[in-house]
């Protein structure tokens, strides 16, 4: 197959990582893949660094210039692709409107990565049900929500969580050795891996940290990721005088940092499918404390692979984390169950198989 991914987002997070992971996997299977992205985006240079063909096009905004750029490029190159996979609102609209004015366009598959509401206007319904051949969601709850709230037929949607490379993300032989490799203090470690955005819930984790560090002074907090909230979070650490909080920034060696953790948390309160950080953490044998937003509950099975707490509830988060920080046996139980769930559900090859099937069906219709 010849696959074109379009992405108008200039940011960096799980959505962009999924596109890159999927593109690399499809290339390895012998498909042709190209990513169409903004020249000032993070995904464009990241694609080139990974050897994924990428084209820079000014498609970051819903404006006439972006539409003309998209239409002009598609008019010239549409015959080179069998299917288009759109990912964000802007590129989906640009591709749809441009495609409506061109003949011989390949079918479009829209991937919905987040749980934000979709408006019920006639134009939006046209975008999803007329201009799009099939919808992929990154969690079953997202699929069910679109059916319930927007009336999108279930047979027009498929839930395909992001795949994790289970050969790369594995439990470490020694968490102490992993910490030594990274130059971290050899202490029990609570960790979070996520873009530093408001809705990822770092603020609530920091609200919980004073009580946690008082009850468990031997523990440290490891923050992996970067983003617009980093300065605010670093300021909170400095003002509180915490010496047991480490900011690692964005990392390519994510498995090494997960290997250094004993407990993982993501107190997100919005805009989620099934976050990759949670799936990666479970594949690395970590128990998880999170919230039931988006489709997180499809990964974190409450009371089996981890604990779910209400979003934006620092007190509940504190108690859930404290319960596991003080109970190594329970952490091990959750970790073992989470690892088994990850291996059965989150494999990269499983995602690629299912995306191939969706693309193939869209092309055949």
């Amino acid at each position: 197959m010849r696959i074109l991914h379009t992405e108008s987002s200039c940011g960096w997070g799980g959505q962009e990582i999924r596109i890159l992971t999927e593109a690399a996997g499809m290339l390895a299977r012998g498909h042709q893949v190209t990513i169409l992205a903004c020249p000032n985006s993070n995904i464009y240079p990241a694609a080139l660094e990974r050897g994924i063909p990428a084209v820079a096009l000014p498609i970051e905004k819903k404006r006439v210039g972006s539409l003309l750029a998209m239409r002009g490029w598609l008019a010239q190159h549409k015959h080179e692709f069998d299917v288009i996979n759109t990912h964000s609102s802007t590129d989906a609209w640009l591709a749809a409107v441009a495609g409506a004015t061109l003949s011989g366009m390949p079918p479009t598959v829209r991937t919905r990565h987040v749980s934000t509401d979709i408006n019920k206007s006639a134009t939006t319904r046209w975008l999803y049900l007329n201009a799009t051949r099939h919808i992929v969601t990154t969690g079953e709850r997202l699929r069910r929500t679109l059916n319930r709230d927007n009336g999108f037929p279930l047979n027009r949607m498929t839930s395909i969580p992001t795949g994790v490379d289970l050969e790369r993300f594995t439990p470490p032989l020694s968490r102490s050795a992993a910490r030594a490799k990274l130059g971290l203090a050899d202490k029990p470690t609570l960790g979070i891996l996520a873009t530093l955005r408001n809705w990822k819930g770092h603020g609530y984790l920091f609200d919980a940290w004073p009580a946690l560090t008082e009850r468990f002074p031997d523990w440290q907090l490891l923050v992996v990721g970067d983003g617009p909230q980093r300065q605010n979070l670093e300021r909170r650490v400095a003002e509180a005088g915490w010496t047991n909080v480490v900011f690692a920034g964005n990392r390519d060696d994510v498995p090494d940092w997960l290997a250094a953790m004993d407990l993982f948390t993501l107190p997100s309160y919005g805009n989620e499918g099934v976050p990759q950080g949670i799936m990666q953490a479970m594949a690395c044998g970590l128990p998880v404390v999170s919230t039931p937003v988006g489709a997180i509950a499809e990964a974190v099975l409450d009371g089996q692979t981890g604990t779910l707490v209400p979003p934006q509830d620092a007190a509940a988060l504190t108690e859930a984390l404290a319960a596991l920080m003080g109970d190594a046996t329970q952490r091990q139980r959750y970790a073992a169950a989470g690892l088994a769930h990850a291996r059965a559900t989150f494999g990269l090859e499983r995602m690629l198989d299912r995306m191939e099937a969706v693309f193939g069906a869209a092309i055949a219709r």
Side-chain angles (χ1 to χ4, degrees):
M1 285 184 286
R2 301 172 301 170
I3 305 161
L4 174 66
H5 289 279
T6 65
E7 177 54 273
S8 55
S9 169
C10 293
W12 184 255
Q15 177 166 321
E16 290 75 21
I17 294 170
R18 162 145 182 176
I19 296 168
L20 293 169
T21 301
E22 186 180 314
M26 291 297 188
L27 285 169
R29 290 185 171 203
H31 301 294
Q32 297 179 33
V33 182
T34 300
I35 295 176
L36 189 65
C38 308
N40 59 334
S41 66
N42 285 285
I43 193 173
Y44 175 65
L48 297 179
E49 288 170 7
R50 289 164 171 78
I52 301 170
V55 175
L57 205 66
I59 56 171
E60 66 270 22
K61 294 183 179 180
K62 295 173 184 173
R63 60 187 183 189
V64 173
S66 297
L67 176 59
L68 293 176
M70 176 71 84
R71 188 186 186 283
W73 194 89
L74 288 175
Q76 185 176 357
H77 298 281
K78 63 184 180 181
H79 64 281
E80 299 171 15
F81 301 98
D82 301 310
V83 64
I84 299 173
N85 190 183
T86 62
H87 294 274
S88 290
S89 174
T90 297
D91 61 275
W93 274 109
L94 294 176
V97 175
T101 68
L102 297 169
S103 61
M105 282 287 292
T108 295
V109 171
R110 169 67 189 276
T111 300
R112 280 280 301 172
H113 297 264
V114 295
S115 56
T116 49
D117 293 338
I118 297 175
N119 72 61
K120 299 177 177 64
S121 68
T123 52
T124 297
R125 192 169 181 83
W126 171 83
L127 173 67
Y128 278 89
L129 297 183
N130 294 93
T132 301
R133 188 70 54 86
H134 201 76
I135 302 164
V136 171
T137 63
T138 55
E140 180 61 21
R141 182 175 175 183
L142 276 64
R143 175 174 173 261
R144 295 285 172 177
T145 298
L146 289 175
N147 172 252
R148 182 195 68 211
D149 295 349
N150 297 84
F152 296 171
L154 289 172
N155 64 2
R156 293 286 304 276
M157 300 182 286
T158 303
S159 169
I160 306 179
T162 299
V164 174
D165 185 344
L166 297 174
E167 294 183 2
R168 183 172 177 233
F169 290 92
T170 60
L173 296 176
S174 167
R175 298 199 182 275
S176 291
R179 289 189 278 268
K181 177 181 177 181
L182 297 171
L184 297 171
D186 190 15
K187 298 178 179 180
T189 303
L190 169 63
I192 180 170
L193 165 65
T195 302
L196 306 189
R197 297 186 177 117
N198 281 330
W199 65 82
K200 294 295 184 180
H202 295 82
Y204 291 95
L205 175 57
F206 279 33
D207 289 342
W209 189 241
L212 292 173
T213 196
E214 182 177 352
R215 293 168 66 177
F216 303 96
D218 56 327
W219 280 67
Q220 62 188 342
L221 175 59
L222 178 57
V223 181
V224 182
D226 212 333
Q229 286 298 308
R230 179 160 183 168
Q231 286 188 341
N232 291 337
L233 295 171
E234 288 180 331
R235 183 168 55 250
R236 286 190 64 174
V237 170
E239 290 173 351
W242 295 328
T243 59
N244 55 2
V245 178
V246 178
F247 287 90
N250 279 337
R251 308 295 309 189
D252 291 326
D253 52 346
V254 168
D256 291 341
W257 291 86
L258 289 172
M261 301 176 190
D262 297 277
L263 175 61
F264 184 88
T265 188
L266 183 66
S268 182
Y269 59 87
N271 297 339
E272 296 290 6
V274 180
Q276 291 182 56
I278 286 179
M279 294 187 287
Q280 293 167 353
M282 292 171 64
C284 289
L286 286 170
V288 177
V289 174
S290 190
T291 62
V293 304
I296 288 176
E298 293 170 29
V300 184
L301 308 180
D302 192 28
Q304 297 180 49
T305 68
T307 302
L308 295 176
V309 300
Q312 298 178 289
D313 189 336
L317 179 64
T318 301
E319 291 310 307
L321 289 171
L324 288 174
M325 290 166 75
D327 190 343
T329 300
Q330 187 59 48
R331 292 201 305 271
Q332 292 168 0
R333 289 195 193 102
Y334 281 170
L339 177 60
H341 186 52
R343 288 177 171 171
T345 311
F346 302 148
L348 174 61
E349 296 305 315
R350 177 183 173 88
M351 176 189 74
L352 295 174
D353 287 345
R354 299 186 73 198
M355 289 303 301
E356 278 183 333
V358 166
F359 289 151
I363 294 166
R365 276 185 59 190

